[in-house]
Amino acid sequence: MTETSRSIVDRSVATIRGLVIDMVERAGNGHVGTALALAPLGYVLYRNMLRLNPDDPLWINRDRLVLSAGHASAWLYALLHLTGHRVGIADLQAFRQLGSLTPGHPEYGRTPGVETTTGPLGQGLATAVGMAIGERLLGEHFNRPGYPVIDHLTVAVASDGDLMEGISQEAISLAGQLGLGKLIVCYDSNGVTIDGHTAISFDREDTEARFRASGWRVVRVKDFNAPDALAAALDRVRDRVDRPALVIVETEIGYPAEAVRGTPAAHGGPLGAEQARRTKAALGLDPGRAFAVPPEVYDHLDLRGAGRDAQRRWVDLFAAWSAEYPQLRREWDACPDRVPVPAFTAGAQLSPRNASALIQESLQHALPTMAGGAADLVDSTKTRFPCAGYFTAGKPARNIAFGVREHAMAAAVNGLALHGGVPKPYGSTFLAFSDYMRPAVRLSAVMGLPVLWIWTHDSVAIGPDGPTHQPVEHLASLRAIPGLWVIRPCDANETGWAWRVALARGDGP
């Protein structure tokens, strides 16, 4: 890297940090520490790696970036602004204010460039696994030689807290089992949580060995302030191989704010006027100017031109593919609300589970990319497409064996919906185990995702399995989740109508 190019890189990273400081100072609250430390990583991800179009942030073949450490939202908003997304300076100034485009934690559907709602730790990481499953599934179904119409990366940025949550191990295990080679997780390893240094809660685990044991590639970056080292590490793991990758970035929370760096004090709240002034001065920024961005930094980080070019090339490719493979194009355009559902007469001697199985079988050709699975209970929940095998590392398929991983299953189903192109993704298990899914189910309602949750064995009369499998209170508790439609069909006829309602709904689970 030349001195001139290094100068613009340094100014860009300093500008990201300056915007983070200004946002949190203006709001009077917010997480400044991780956002400051990750500025070089954010620069490298957006400037060197991610292929996306700020003018069309929902372009289906874009690379995905998921900020699983959603408390560091100021980092993401600063980068979205600088790269040309529709997030203006006024939006940064309204950070964490009611109704703004820059809420305290990223919210899907509110801020252009935000891929999923995060904040509950572990959810973003597990949702990214679902996005990577969607990429593999759709690529397998639609791509043809010379026509890679679905071919992108999924990148997640995770924290110590994400990896402590139990859902993370479920997601890590699932991703390794399925060989999701285009999934990259960047781990901000700073050794600090709200309660103190991780020595009190999280320093006996060998995280690198944990990921390797689950089938991941792992690389480590010791100098988090070295964009060249970060870029080299990301280049090493972006090769299209059959394993997901973890990039461990050893950071110092709060750097370069001298009063709080490396301490739990950097975890939340503003630096304060004097420390903010000193930190900005140390970065070479004007302490007296807030939300200042040099024109050359805007020019350097603006991704709109490259994004438009990348999407234009894809549109041309997609048009040629559509002309050569018209049947595949028809399958691409299939809509769940136009699919006929078998009818059953009232009182038909057919259990709701078996009726549901017949309905799902009838959908398998009309909705060829509908996908989902069960938490190791397919034979009991009757949720499987007979025409397809199971998704494996070597052969993606629409039946996903989630294993006994209810929480990760639910988040991954959300990821399938967020990816797009997978109509009405679903997850199933016994109703009693909806408790293990609840955080992700709630987020599906918060985000208004068109997913389908299928729960069976809901009767208090299931005697042989005992009280652990008799979900007395679950139906009422699920109906208390705003935005979640809960239907309990009592015979085959009502099951058919439940499916019709579910397929027609496009604004929530």
Side-chain angles (χ1 to χ4, degrees):
M1 184 181 294
T2 66
E3 284 304 313
T4 301
S5 62
R6 185 176 301 279
S7 176
I8 187 60
V9 172
D10 291 344
R11 287 201 300 277
S12 298
V13 172
T15 299
I16 297 167
R17 285 173 163 151
L19 290 175
V20 165
I21 292 169
D22 292 337
M23 275 187 275
V24 178
E25 287 299 311
R26 173 69 68 92
N29 56 71
H31 182 99
V32 71
T34 293
L36 282 174
L38 288 183
L41 176 65
Y43 169 86
V44 171
L45 285 172
Y46 277 92
R47 184 68 173 79
N48 294 13
M49 189 174 194
L50 297 175
R51 180 189 59 191
L52 43 81
N53 182 6
D55 287 337
D56 186 3
L58 297 180
W59 167 39
I60 194 167
N61 201 42
R62 69 194 180 279
D63 292 333
R64 272 70 168 173
L65 176 69
V66 173
L67 178 60
S68 194
H71 51 279
S73 58
W75 173 83
L76 180 58
Y77 300 146
L79 286 159
L80 291 175
H81 170 71
L82 293 171
T83 53
H85 289 77
R86 295 186 184 94
V87 179
I89 282 290
D91 298 310
L92 302 188
Q93 292 169 339
F95 178 54
R96 296 177 72 92
Q97 303 308 300
L98 182 64
S100 75
L101 290 184
T102 50
H105 292 85
E107 296 179 20
Y108 171 75
R110 175 173 292 277
T111 312
V114 168
E115 297 286 358
T116 183
T117 296
T118 55
L121 290 173
Q123 287 291 329
L125 171 57
T127 300
V129 170
M131 294 176 182
I133 292 173
E135 192 276 341
R136 284 289 305 281
L137 176 70
L138 296 178
E140 175 72 16
H141 187 83
F142 289 119
N143 291 351
R144 293 296 182 270
Y147 292 101
V149 292
I150 295 293
D151 178 25
H152 66 78
L153 297 172
T154 302
V155 180
V157 177
S159 63
D160 290 301
D162 287 290
L163 298 191
M164 282 190 257
E165 291 284 2
I167 187 176
S168 72
Q169 181 54 41
E170 292 186 24
I172 291 161
S173 175
L174 179 62
Q177 176 69 28
L178 299 183
L180 302 177
K182 295 182 186 176
L183 173 65
I184 299 171
V185 172
C186 299
Y187 167 33
D188 169 37
S189 177
N190 63 41
V192 172
T193 63
I194 294 173
D195 281 352
H197 292 279
T198 51
I200 66 174
S201 60
F202 188 56
D203 72 341
R204 295 295 182 93
E205 177 180 294
D206 187 335
T207 300
E208 182 172 340
R210 171 187 173 192
F211 275 80
R212 290 192 190 279
S214 296
W216 288 58
R217 298 167 289 153
V218 180
V219 298
R220 186 179 290 271
V221 181
K222 291 186 176 295
D223 187 353
F224 70 99
N225 269 319
D228 288 347
L230 291 164
L234 290 167
D235 284 342
R236 285 176 58 191
V237 300
R238 71 180 301 168
D239 298 331
R240 308 298 204 256
V241 298
D242 60 354
R243 291 185 293 158
L246 175 71
V247 179
I248 301 175
V249 185
E250 298 180 8
T251 67
E252 183 182 23
I253 191 170
Y255 176 91
E258 289 294 342
V260 300
R261 56 187 284 190
T263 73
H267 219 287
L271 296 178
E274 179 59 23
Q275 183 61 27
R277 187 190 67 77
R278 290 184 179 184
T279 304
K280 291 178 72 173
L283 290 167
L285 304 173
D286 182 350
R289 295 185 61 201
F291 298 99
V293 180
E296 66 272 19
V297 171
Y298 276 131
D299 292 341
H300 181 65
L301 286 175
D302 191 343
L303 299 182
R304 287 173 293 185
R308 285 191 292 264
D309 290 344
Q311 184 169 355
R312 190 178 302 113
R313 289 191 295 271
W314 181 85
V315 168
D316 293 341
L317 177 78
F318 185 74
W321 170 84
S322 299
E324 188 158 345
Y325 299 100
Q327 176 57 34
L328 287 178
R329 175 58 193 271
R330 284 191 288 273
E331 293 177 2
W332 179 286
D333 293 333
C335 292
D337 58 352
R338 302 175 192 165
V339 177
V341 173
F344 304 96
T345 58
Q349 295 301 301
L350 184 66
S351 72
R353 272 189 297 152
N354 287 323
S356 182
L358 292 175
I359 292 167
Q360 186 169 342
E361 182 177 356
S362 77
L363 300 176
Q364 62 186 345
H365 298 300
L367 297 174
T369 59
M370 182 178 174
D376 201 50
L377 287 171
V378 163
D379 287 343
S380 297
T381 61
K382 310 292 184 184
T383 49
R384 187 174 185 273
F385 291 106
C387 71
Y390 279 112
F391 193 120
T392 66
K395 181 69 173 177
R398 61 200 302 191
N399 293 313
I400 303 168
F402 288 108
V404 189
R405 304 183 183 97
E406 290 91 349
H407 199 175
M409 172 183 72
V413 168
N414 287 345
L416 285 168
L418 288 160
H419 181 279
V422 182
K424 204 59 63 174
Y426 68 91
S428 67
T429 186
F430 291 173
L431 182 63
F433 307 144
S434 64
D435 278 344
Y436 292 157
M437 304 167 60
R438 189 176 299 270
V441 169
R442 178 177 177 272
L443 281 178
S444 75
V446 168
M447 290 188 276
L449 299 182
V451 301
L452 177 58
W453 307 119
I454 304 175
W455 292 303
T456 66
H457 295 70
D458 65 331
S459 174
V460 296
I462 304 173
D465 280 330
T468 62
H469 286 55
Q470 293 175 1
V472 179
E473 73 282 11
H474 291 61
L475 196 67
S477 68
L478 290 166
R479 284 179 169 153
I481 298 176
L484 175 65
W485 290 4
V486 182
I487 306 173
R488 184 181 184 271
C490 294
D491 64 6
N493 180 46
E494 290 187 2
T495 302
W497 280 104
W499 269 92
R500 291 183 186 94
V501 169
L503 291 172
R505 186 182 190 196
D507 62 351

